[in-house]
Amino acid sequence: MKELDLHGVSHYDVRDVVENFILMNDAPFRIITGLSERMRNLTQNILDKHKLQYYTPAHNAGEIIVID
């Protein structure tokens, strides 16, 4: 499964980085946000904009799995 790790990416750059990744890769893939609520919200907003389905695994609140 492809993976995008957002550790070290500034909140300002998240939109561009996540959008480029989702446009260039087919689901399923994993986005590692870490536990930052702001980073998670920014990422989820982009996924919602593109109408992608995703979930957060119960065992790791620091990642989002995009399934479609």
Side-chain angles (χ1 to χ4, degrees):
M1 179 181 307
K2 291 225 176 191
E3 175 177 295
L4 172 62
D5 189 344
L6 296 176
H7 287 105
V9 176
S10 72
H11 291 131
Y12 178 82
D13 292 328
V14 168
R15 180 184 313 237
D16 290 337
V17 171
V18 171
E19 198 146 32
N20 286 337
F21 183 81
I22 66 174
L23 291 174
M24 296 181 70
N25 294 283
D26 293 326
F29 53 81
R30 170 182 296 122
I31 300 175
I32 300 171
T33 61
L35 298 177
S36 164
E37 187 174 335
R38 183 168 179 211
M39 187 70 77
R40 293 186 51 75
N41 288 337
L42 290 167
T43 302
Q44 289 172 336
N45 288 341
I46 297 162
L47 297 173
D48 291 341
K49 173 185 166 189
H50 288 274
K51 297 180 170 61
L52 294 171
Q53 295 180 13
Y54 58 89
Y55 68 94
T56 300
H59 68 280
N60 187 353
E63 71 178 10
I64 297 171
I65 306 294
V66 178
I67 54 177
D68 183 34

